[in-house]
Amino acid sequence: MKYRKWGAALIAAGIVASLGACSSGGGDSADGPQALTMLIGSSGDAETAAVESATQAWAADNNATVEVIVASDLTQQLSQGFAGDDAPDVFYMGWDQFSTYASNGYLDSYAADLSNAGDFYPSLVDTFTYDDTFTCAPKDFSTLGLIINTDLWAAAGLTDADVPTDWDSLEAVATKLTTPDTVGLSFGLEYARAGVFMNQAGGQLVDGDTVTADSDENVAGLEYLQKLHDAGVLKWPSEISAGWSGEALGAGKAAMVIEGPWIKGIKGDFPDTNYAAFELPAGPAGPSTFTFTNCWGIPANSDSRDASVSLVEFLTSDEQQLAAADAFGVIPSTESGAAEYATKYPENASFVAGADYAVSPVNFAGSATVISDFNAQLESLIGGDAKQILGSLQSNLQAALDEANGN
């Protein structure tokens, strides 16, 4: 396969520090099957096996082979692949990296031409649209929900009628669930979690070409978290000797956490932990949650484009997405597939329901670096000044947006 030489553009984008020219390849034989390579970031053996099974099924019907490569660091290996003449034919493209790759012309804009292009959730289409062009097909998605340890819930005398629906009731049940050994609520202190409270308060980080990070609404979202923490009913996983909030839930150190459908992964370490998932409580401005997704990326100017597009169309069919859901729990990116998923897995129906109002975290070229800095600054939230933290985010994010817009 041959690709445009990307070296100078990649250096300008800052994706890797030192790059060479890029043209790639996998290898098509004139008298043999077409050979494709696929780079994925796998959550574990179940996901890897499911992807390999699906690609082999497509390959068997299309005189092709597909080598599935599991990345140890997807972002780094993908950028190195483009830089070093070895870009994969198909790859996982994260929502947080999409705009950087799309804005520099690295991605083939194939998605709008798929036969199932109209079947995907509109919010996911928006996530993977650049310059008004639906670029790459979302492979699945996850939303955030409130995960409750049902044994601890019952022990506190709480019932289904007490499941929180707003901030006041969330604080009330978190207070009731907090004991000397267990905190009522826990989640990672990062934009990907704290940001939903900013959204629920009516805030957003970007409005058109204007950054609104230091708005009163965003301040209110962070100050609500400060309030819960000051009351002792919210703690970050690191404060309760947990690597992440799923571990905190499984070990009984937290009665409620905010996570996605990947929470099922705790069953391996904590098989006796019983839990249930609910939609996140609404804030003063209404409900909000984040949606996290990858798309199937295809390099621009690839001579294996037709085969790659055919493979992606196969993988994004409802049948194949539901098979992936069976294997490792992801939610299909099509509305019809997700509806069937919710019926088949009612315990995860709340994650599907959240898709109706979910938004993608801020995503434009250069934003990922700024958000990483914001995450670091959030470490000073407790005992700190929420408005000051957001003021720093405001200036940094506006500078990044201006640069992305060529200003």
Side-chain angles (χ1 to χ4, degrees):
M1 289 142 302
K2 299 294 183 184
Y3 303 120
R4 175 184 304 164
K5 293 184 181 295
W6 300 114
L10 280 164
I11 290 172
I15 294 179
V16 293
S18 178
L19 306 173
C22 171
S23 283
S24 161
D28 303 331
S29 170
D31 56 358
Q34 181 157 35
L36 302 181
T37 58
M38 173 185 287
L39 183 68
I40 70 171
S42 179
S43 60
D45 292 344
E47 180 169 0
T48 301
V51 174
E52 289 177 340
S53 176
T55 56
Q56 288 170 11
W58 173 86
D61 289 336
N62 288 274
N63 189 32
T65 63
V66 182
E67 179 188 7
V68 176
I69 302 166
V70 179
S72 57
D73 185 326
L74 179 63
T75 300
Q76 181 182 48
Q77 288 175 238
L78 184 60
S79 62
Q80 289 174 339
F82 272 97
D85 273 354
D86 197 23
D89 299 292
V90 184
F91 48 87
Y92 283 12
M93 177 87 268
W95 60 269
D96 56 339
Q97 297 293 322
F98 166 73
S99 290
T100 297
Y101 278 79
S103 65
N104 285 281
Y106 308 152
L107 303 179
D108 188 286
S109 300
Y110 69 87
D113 296 327
L114 295 175
S115 63
N116 60 344
D119 297 340
F120 300 105
Y121 273 99
S123 61
L124 301 181
V125 172
D126 288 345
T127 297
F128 295 117
T129 293
Y130 179 77
D131 199 19
D132 297 325
T133 300
F134 181 27
T135 301
C136 56
K139 76 178 197 68
D140 50 46
F141 76 97
S142 300
T143 61
L144 294 174
L146 184 69
I147 319 298
I148 295 174
N149 182 312
T150 53
D151 292 333
L152 295 176
W153 185 265
L158 297 167
T159 68
D160 288 348
D162 298 305
V163 173
T165 57
D166 55 27
W167 282 7
D168 287 342
S169 54
L170 177 61
E171 181 179 3
V173 296
T175 300
K176 193 161 188 178
L177 288 164
T178 298
T179 70
D181 300 318
T182 304
V183 69
L185 177 64
S186 182
F187 55 85
L189 183 57
E190 58 180 331
Y191 167 63
R193 301 293 183 275
V196 297
F197 291 92
M198 295 156 61
N199 295 343
Q200 290 170 3
Q204 55 185 330
L205 293 188
V206 178
D207 183 6
D209 290 333
T210 302
V211 174
T212 56
D214 62 352
S215 68
D216 291 343
E217 292 82 5
N218 285 332
V219 172
L222 292 187
E223 288 183 341
Y224 174 70
L225 300 184
Q226 289 176 316
K227 176 186 177 184
L228 295 184
H229 192 278
D230 289 347
V233 302
L234 166 64
K235 291 187 182 297
W236 323 124
S238 60
E239 295 178 304
I240 50 178
S241 301
W244 68 296
S245 58
E247 179 184 345
L249 184 82
K253 296 177 179 180
M256 299 185 295
V257 299
I258 294 176
E259 290 294 346
W262 54 81
I263 194 69
K264 69 179 290 184
I266 70 170
K267 282 297 184 181
D269 293 324
F270 306 101
D272 297 326
T273 298
N274 298 307
Y275 62 85
F278 301 89
E279 293 177 67
L280 290 179
S288 186
T289 187
F290 278 147
T291 184
F292 303 100
T293 181
N294 291 319
C295 74
W296 290 109
I298 296 174
N301 299 334
S302 165
D303 67 6
S304 62
R305 178 188 189 276
D306 290 348
S308 297
V309 171
S310 173
L311 173 58
V312 170
E313 192 160 54
F314 175 80
L315 294 172
T316 57
S317 68
D318 283 2
E319 179 182 2
Q320 290 303 313
Q321 290 206 61
L322 285 164
D326 291 341
F328 57 101
V330 290
I331 305 173
S333 56
T334 60
E335 292 183 287
S336 55
E340 186 172 346
Y341 171 93
T343 299
K344 188 172 184 179
Y345 299 103
E347 68 274 19
N348 283 348
S350 59
F351 296 119
V352 177
D356 290 339
Y357 51 82
V359 297
S360 177
V362 65
N363 171 27
F364 59 83
S367 62
T369 299
V370 178
I371 293 302
S372 293
D373 179 69
F374 176 52
N375 288 339
Q377 292 189 54
L378 280 174
E379 294 178 6
S380 65
L381 179 64
I382 304 308
D385 186 333
K387 189 168 183 64
Q388 183 177 10
I389 293 171
L390 290 170
S392 176
L393 174 62
Q394 172 77 26
S395 58
N396 292 339
L397 202 59
Q398 186 67 61
L401 183 61
D402 289 342
E403 182 176 351
N405 289 337
N407 297 331

